[in-house]
Amino acid sequence: MAAKIIISGGGTGGHIFPAIAIADALKRLAPTTEILFVGANGKMEMDRVPQAGYEIVGLDIVGIDRKSLWKNVQLPFKLMKSLWRAREVLKAFQADVAVGVGGYASGPLLMMAGWMGVPTLIQEQNSFAGVTNRKLGKNAQRICVAYTGMEQFFSEDKLILTGNPIRESSVTIDGKRADALRAFSLDPLKKTVLITGGSLGARTLNQSVKAGIDQFLREDIQVIWQCGNYYFSSLQEELGELPQNIRLLPFLERMDYAYAAADLIVSRAGAGTISELALIGKPVILVPSPNVADDHQTKNAQALVEQNAARWIRDRDAVENLAGEIVSLLQNDQEQDRMSTNLRRLARPHADLDIAKEVLALIERKQ
């Protein structure tokens, strides 16, 4: 009989892409597997998951609003409603296993699965586990993690070090450098820096690049600057026609080309991004976003810095210091080589398959 697996979570690309990667890996290993996604109504997974070819059910769940506490009045009612809906979905689908990848929907779905005796697996992406996953981890059978030292949050006998699933198309860069530089109209003899705040862009990184343009031009450094759709028009208007060395883009359609062209990468420190960067293995400066729960990104960045695999700058210091840090690192070939070597050691290219195998093993054990 075909295995039936529910995958829950989402809210951001950082949760959705790994979830889809796990689903795809399950289909490769066991083609008859039936997969149902459970997401949060109104969130991006409700569009992205069907685009990837999977069915999804939405729960009316939201996260805690830390800025306006009065907006949380409805939260207990929404949680109860979501738990009831999760129970209906689990019962109707007759799930063999429930997988949580983080995001609003994974809380009620995995909580109810645990109460109903359905085995659960958590994929914890960050180096510092959030409150919800710590609670869910007490009843989970398996917890797949991307960092060592996670026994401070979870029972050691449940932990499996798998890494985070990534989009393979983004990290396949071998032999693409020349084509990538041509695509961006850049000079192969000059150093190139990729600065990306993710698909939505990042205000601090944009301000930091603006502040550093003169320094980049003095040092003859080329910049691929992915600023985000939200900021693109205002930056174009403010900066006018930029010099040949600075490539301002709202969004990077070919992330593989951006990675291939770069000698140095400046990025936020989301778990999925760091997993991609480890596979790319190029020198990295991380500027963690301060606007995430439990300050996950700072902890992710520090975990790399402790292994001499990256440099990091606090968000509040980036406008003043980022350009100087970029120039300083580009002038230090020895440190670049050391960082790249250490970063590559953290790469786990088969995380999706390793997690899928753990999911299928839970089903075998149950049977």
Side-chain angles (χ1 to χ4, degrees):
M1 203 166 76
K4 293 189 169 189
I5 297 161
I6 285 183
I7 301 176
S8 65
T12 66
H15 291 307
I16 296 163
F17 294 126
I20 292 169
I22 293 167
D24 291 345
L26 283 163
K27 282 291 196 182
R28 290 204 301 277
L29 292 174
T32 60
T33 301
E34 291 181 41
I35 296 171
L36 175 67
F37 279 77
V38 174
N41 283 325
K43 294 295 176 182
M44 64 191 289
E45 60 264 25
M46 302 307 292
D47 294 321
R48 294 293 175 87
V49 168
Q51 285 168 12
Y54 295 101
E55 186 185 346
I56 187 165
V57 173
L59 304 181
D60 286 324
I61 187 69
V62 293
I64 295 170
D65 192 320
R66 290 173 169 80
K67 292 177 182 173
S68 302
L69 293 178
W70 67 271
K71 289 183 181 176
N72 298 313
V73 172
Q74 293 289 323
L75 197 57
F77 303 101
K78 290 194 172 185
L79 179 58
M80 292 305 295
K81 187 181 173 185
S82 293
L83 284 166
W84 185 255
R85 179 70 178 124
R87 184 177 181 274
E88 288 179 338
V89 171
L90 285 157
K91 212 171 173 185
F93 188 63
Q94 295 184 307
D96 294 303
V97 173
V99 178
V101 296
Y104 303 136
S106 64
L109 193 284
L110 261 70
M111 205 179 294
M112 184 53 74
W115 292 342
M116 292 174 67
V118 177
T120 59
L121 178 145
I122 293 169
Q123 199 249 322
E124 173 54 67
Q125 298 183 349
N126 294 291
S127 63
F128 189 91
V131 176
T132 304
N133 270 359
R134 275 182 267 170
K135 286 180 180 171
L136 294 171
K138 289 173 184 172
N139 292 320
Q141 278 66 42
R142 275 283 177 269
I143 300 156
C144 296
V145 296
Y147 294 87
T148 56
M150 297 301 285
E151 55 276 358
Q152 63 181 306
F153 306 111
F154 304 110
S155 177
E156 194 171 353
D157 61 332
K158 297 179 180 182
L159 292 175
I160 305 285
L161 184 64
T162 57
N164 289 322
I166 46 86
R167 290 170 291 176
E168 199 172 326
S169 60
S170 295
V171 298
T172 308
I173 65 169
D174 286 351
K176 293 183 180 178
R177 182 173 169 79
D179 286 344
L181 288 165
R182 268 196 300 276
F184 291 113
S185 302
L186 294 173
D187 186 339
L189 300 177
K190 295 178 181 179
K191 294 285 187 182
T192 301
V193 178
L194 166 64
I195 300 179
T196 171
S199 56
L200 299 177
R203 187 165 171 265
T204 300
L205 291 183
N206 290 339
Q207 290 175 328
S208 304
V209 181
K210 269 191 336 189
I213 285 176
D214 289 344
Q215 200 168 349
F216 297 142
L217 295 177
R218 275 199 307 274
E219 299 290 336
D220 209 12
I221 293 167
Q222 298 178 137
V223 180
I224 301 169
W225 177 7
Q226 186 265 312
C227 66
N229 286 312
Y230 180 79
Y231 301 100
F232 182 65
S233 297
S234 57
L235 282 168
Q236 263 194 324
E237 199 174 316
E238 182 185 347
L239 299 170
E241 192 173 341
L242 285 162
Q244 182 78 6
N245 274 23
I246 312 290
R247 286 274 172 267
L248 176 68
L249 301 159
F251 181 72
L252 289 165
E253 297 289 347
R254 292 285 305 262
M255 204 65 213
D256 56 333
Y257 271 14
Y259 284 145
D263 296 293
L264 169 65
I265 299 164
V266 178
S267 168
R268 288 307 206 185
T273 300
I274 284 179
S275 296
E276 286 189 358
L277 294 173
L279 284 161
I280 297 298
K282 292 189 176 183
V284 173
I285 298 172
L286 298 169
V287 184
S289 170
N291 308 312
V292 292
D294 299 314
D295 202 17
H296 280 142
Q297 291 205 4
T298 296
K299 292 167 180 115
N300 290 345
Q302 287 171 335
L304 262 65
V305 171
E306 281 166 15
Q307 300 188 61
N308 202 6
R311 283 190 188 181
W312 80 288
I313 297 177
R314 290 186 191 279
D315 187 86
R316 63 173 179 259
D317 300 327
V319 174
E320 189 178 340
N321 297 333
L322 181 60
E325 197 78 10
I326 288 168
V327 171
S328 139
L329 186 51
L330 282 175
Q331 291 171 347
N332 190 336
D333 291 341
Q334 199 173 356
E335 188 181 354
Q336 287 181 64
D337 291 343
R338 187 166 58 243
M339 277 168 115
S340 292
T341 301
N342 293 335
L343 189 55
R344 284 194 191 99
R345 285 195 187 118
L346 305 176
R348 294 190 172 267
H350 307 299
D352 54 349
L353 286 167
D354 291 341
I355 294 166
K357 285 172 187 172
E358 291 299 327
V359 174
L360 295 172
L362 284 181
I363 296 172
E364 281 178 29
R365 192 176 311 158
K366 182 187 173 188
Q367 290 169 344

